[in-house]
Amino acid sequence: MQGLGNDFVVFDGVRQQIEVDAALVQRLADRRFGIGCDQILLVEPPRSPDTDFYYRIFNADGSEVEQCGNGARCFARFVRDQGLSDRTVIPVGTAAGAIRLYLEADGQVRVDMGAPVFTPSRLPFAADAETPDATYPLDIAGKIYQIGAVSMGNPHAVLLVDDVSTAPVATLGPLLEQHPRFSRRVNVGFMQIVTPAAIRLRVYERGAGETLACGTGACAAVVSGRQRGLLAERVQVTLPGGTLRIDWAGQGQSVWMTGPAVRVFDGEIEH
Ligand SMILES: N[C@H](CCC[C@H](N)C(=O)O)C(=O)O
């Protein structure tokens, strides 16, 4: 499956018992010696009465994480294609809480990603206190950068850049991903504001490196931009792999993400 080029291997953990560990994930995610993907997704039976499934996410480096936006859209497409669900609204549990997936008539998938979290300790991010615009000065390799810090269930740091095409993604991305003040590492977004209703974004993902798109990264960038008073409620987010629509009405409200989800191939793995 792929969502704007952010690609996944999705396993049906409902009809079969699947045990996943870091070594297996790393092997399957390898683009030369394995299948190749940014993340591995697991569809599992529900763990709470108000959900239909439980959704687990593993980065290519083997780390299990709390949330994945592009993966959530592909999750919805997968469970429908595989006949695991015939619903058009699918409540799903994740390590970051329940989200709701909406299969639209035009083939797009809309996701209620829940409300963003700004409390530094919940990212986690070491900061003295939460700031009104959720931005913080951060020393990276001896230079001070102002970063937006927000959680969509998973942690994001958002930097403003003049032009994403010349943003220092390959150099600053890994330095910030591993920054000691993010004790569980962090996803790093490089945001260029085109208009209050349109941004360009590149994301260096925790545990996967730069991807063609990042759904939670798009949500985090719009939320950070709005906290800084720079963006409207509805923003078109153009990433290298394509465009997502993100809607956020403000503090305490859910972030809504709308975009495509595409099946690439089905397969079986000998083990
Ligand atoms: N790298 C992320 C997980 C995948 C998120 C991304 N693929 C998305 O679409 O949100 C993390 O470590 O939190």
Side-chain angles (χ1 to χ4, degrees):
M1 308 285 299
Q2 59 88 7
L4 300 183
N6 183 200
D7 63 341
F8 312 99
V9 172
V10 189
F11 285 98
D12 171 353
V14 174
R15 294 186 181 119
Q16 56 191 339
Q17 181 66 33
I18 295 184
E19 292 301 320
V20 169
D21 61 18
L24 174 63
V25 169
Q26 290 164 358
R27 190 154 49 80
L28 293 176
D30 188 296
R31 295 191 184 282
R32 292 289 177 273
F33 296 99
I35 301 172
C37 60
D38 294 323
Q39 280 90 27
I40 300 268
L41 310 182
L42 265 188
V43 178
E44 293 190 342
R47 297 188 183 181
S48 60
D50 57 344
T51 55
D52 293 356
F53 300 98
Y54 191 74
Y55 166 31
R56 294 175 70 191
I57 303 116
F58 298 82
N59 284 315
D61 71 353
S63 56
E64 181 164 7
V65 290
E66 313 87 343
Q67 192 55 271
C68 176
N70 288 321
R73 300 194 317 275
C74 291
F75 188 106
R77 173 77 52 237
F78 180 84
V79 296
R80 283 295 298 257
D81 289 354
Q82 297 293 321
L84 288 167
S85 173
D86 58 4
R87 302 178 73 175
T88 54
V89 181
I90 305 173
V92 168
T94 75
I99 57 175
R100 296 175 80 82
L101 317 178
Y102 297 75
L103 285 124
E104 309 267 282
D106 64 359
Q108 301 252 23
V109 182
R110 191 159 57 95
V111 183
D112 173 352
M113 295 293 292
V117 168
F118 298 103
T119 312
S121 61
R122 290 182 57 197
L123 261 66
F125 171 55
D128 300 336
E130 185 177 331
T131 59
D133 69 353
T135 70
Y136 306 82
L138 196 66
D139 180 327
I140 308 173
K143 195 168 169 228
I144 302 294
Y145 295 84
Q146 197 71 7
I147 62 147
V150 57
S151 173
M152 288 306 301
N154 58 349
H156 289 267
V158 182
L159 291 114
L160 283 179
V161 294
D162 295 332
D163 181 346
V164 289
S165 50
T166 58
V169 178
T171 50
L172 213 49
L175 284 174
L176 191 39
E177 182 212 9
Q178 311 277 348
H179 196 284
R181 285 180 60 187
F182 288 96
S183 57
R184 294 179 57 193
R185 299 186 294 164
V186 69
N187 297 284
V188 186
F190 297 81
M191 167 166 65
Q192 171 188 350
I193 295 183
V194 180
T195 72
I199 65 171
R200 295 175 69 204
L201 181 70
R202 288 172 68 185
V203 182
Y204 187 91
E205 287 197 31
R206 175 179 63 172
E210 182 173 7
T211 57
L212 291 177
C214 179
T216 52
C219 296
V222 170
V223 165
S224 178
R226 278 184 62 67
Q227 286 300 92
R228 303 186 209 204
L230 302 171
L231 292 178
E233 281 196 25
R234 169 163 292 183
V235 180
Q236 300 296 332
V237 179
T238 299
L239 299 120
T243 297
L244 288 173
R245 193 185 83 207
I246 306 295
D247 296 282
W248 186 48
Q251 198 75 10
Q253 307 288 319
S254 280
V255 182
W256 292 82
M257 168 189 62
T258 304
V262 176
R263 176 186 153 281
V264 178
F265 71 94
D266 291 332
E268 294 189 344
I269 293 175
E270 301 290 321
H271 62 92

